[in-house]
Amino acid sequence: MAEQGVKQVVFRYIQPATVLAIVLFWGLAPERLTTSAWTLLIAVGLCKLAILALEQVNERHAAWRMTRTELLTDLFYVAMVYTLIRYARIHWGDPPVEAAKHAIGISTPWLEHAPFVLQVALVLFLFEFGQYWMHRAMHNWTPLWLVHAPHHYVTQLNALKGAVGNPIELFLISLGIVALFDFSLPALFCAAHVGTIVAAFAHANVRFDPPRWYSYVFTTIEHHSLHHSVDYESTRCNYANALIVVDRMCGTFHAGEAVEVGQDGRRRLSILDVMAFPFVPLVARFRNGRTAG
């Protein structure tokens, strides 16, 4: 009984405790660590491994259990996010925002000296608010849905599934306006770490029971599994990747949970299918046009 009680406490508080630990690390660690992108990469990787381990300890749904095929596929997408997508964002996504900042004359040096926690909260909110509207547009405009839809063809959820998607979608969802402002580098890394890990928790096949305040502010597996429902109309809610409070603010929050996830009769897409998915309608239209001619 005592062991069961400890387990309940752990899975009730592990999400907020992890967020707190991440903030404390980036706020208190030596500058040589908190200004290194390698620190962020290693820390995020270790946290995701820990969440995958939790899936083995307190599984949410047996149907979502990781298989060898799913693991290898997910690792391909994770590698793509941290190489190709990261390169694209740094070289093609951030420069136009930075150029606009200089052209408009935006200067906020005081932000870099604001309290660390306030900086992290502002960075996280700014990115999530923009991500929310991009994600919402992807569910309400066909051209954007075509690049986003492959992410909804996943037939199980786990801590790595947030990286699954077409490269165009992954690039678009990585964009933001944070570069317009002068935040400190540790605050930027901390917000990225918090957002990434909250999103990993929100995809994880783990039976959590978080405090009500946490579920009010942060996205959980309950919220996000509902967003992955097999019914397309049911996916048009809970768009926020990490801050579900944005959905609450914008009137798109729905309570509930889904066990079966996927689209099109829960058809699983191969990596090649995911890459080609946005172009399939164009190819079909071209072929039909040639046939008619």
Side-chain angles (χ1 to χ4, degrees):
M1 291 295 292
E3 182 179 338
Q4 187 64 25
V6 171
K7 186 175 181 179
Q8 288 177 347
V9 171
V10 168
F11 286 95
R12 180 168 179 78
Y13 293 106
I14 195 165
Q15 292 177 93
T18 300
V19 171
L20 176 60
I22 290 171
V23 173
L24 288 175
F25 170 78
W26 290 100
L28 301 176
E31 186 177 358
R32 62 184 176 81
L33 292 178
T34 61
T35 55
S36 170
W38 280 105
T39 303
L40 178 60
L41 181 63
I42 294 170
V44 166
L46 291 174
C47 286
K48 286 195 175 184
L49 284 174
I51 299 172
L52 287 172
L54 293 178
E55 294 185 353
Q56 310 304 311
V57 177
N58 200 25
E59 184 179 71
R60 191 173 196 88
H61 300 299
W64 294 0
R65 189 172 298 161
M66 180 78 80
T67 64
R68 182 174 180 272
T69 299
E70 291 293 337
L71 176 61
L72 293 176
T73 303
D74 294 348
L75 288 176
F76 167 85
Y77 289 107
V78 170
M80 184 173 68
V81 165
Y82 286 103
T83 54
L84 175 65
I85 305 304
R86 181 175 180 272
Y87 179 92
R89 179 183 57 78
I90 291 173
H91 291 86
W92 305 327
D94 291 343
V97 179
E98 293 168 355
K101 172 185 176 180
H102 294 302
I104 299 171
I106 297 175
S107 180
T108 55
W110 53 273
L111 271 176
E112 192 171 359
H113 303 289
F116 180 76
V117 174
L118 177 61
Q119 289 190 63
V120 173
L122 285 172
V123 172
L124 187 58
F125 181 80
L126 283 171
F127 182 77
E128 277 291 303
F129 193 70
Q131 185 272 344
Y132 166 88
W133 286 105
M134 174 63 78
H135 192 179
R136 187 169 174 176
M138 287 176 169
H139 281 259
N140 290 275
W141 188 41
T142 300
L144 286 178
W145 170 248
L146 288 174
V147 301
H148 177 57
H151 181 64
H152 281 268
Y153 274 75
V154 298
T155 55
Q156 61 163 244
L157 296 177
N158 64 58
L160 301 180
K161 278 291 186 279
V164 175
N166 182 273
I168 301 172
E169 180 229 359
L170 296 174
F171 172 68
L172 291 175
I173 215 74
S174 74
L175 301 178
I177 60 169
V178 174
L180 289 174
F181 306 97
D182 302 300
F183 293 104
S184 69
L185 194 55
L188 290 170
F189 285 164
C190 181
H193 193 175
V194 170
T196 302
I197 296 311
V198 170
F201 277 131
H203 284 85
N205 183 20
V206 181
R207 190 163 295 283
F208 296 115
D209 180 29
R212 183 175 298 179
W213 67 265
Y214 181 91
S215 297
Y216 189 87
V217 176
F218 296 103
T219 304
T220 67
I221 182 61
E222 291 87 354
H223 307 142
H224 202 66
S225 65
L226 187 63
H227 177 73
H228 275 270
S229 298
V230 293
D231 169 30
Y232 169 72
E233 286 302 319
S234 296
T235 71
R236 300 172 74 182
C237 68
N238 301 351
Y239 297 109
N241 205 38
L243 295 181
I244 199 67
V245 69
V246 178
D247 279 283
R248 296 182 188 275
M249 292 166 50
C250 297
T252 51
F253 170 76
H254 287 185
E257 178 180 0
V259 177
E260 287 196 339
V261 297
Q263 292 288 300
D264 194 14
R266 303 187 72 237
R267 176 168 66 96
R268 186 182 184 279
L269 300 183
S270 68
I271 292 174
L272 183 59
D273 290 333
V274 170
M275 300 301 150
F277 195 93
F279 311 105
V280 169
L282 291 175
V283 172
R285 184 177 299 178
F286 175 75
R287 287 177 175 172
N288 290 338
R290 290 188 63 181
T291 302

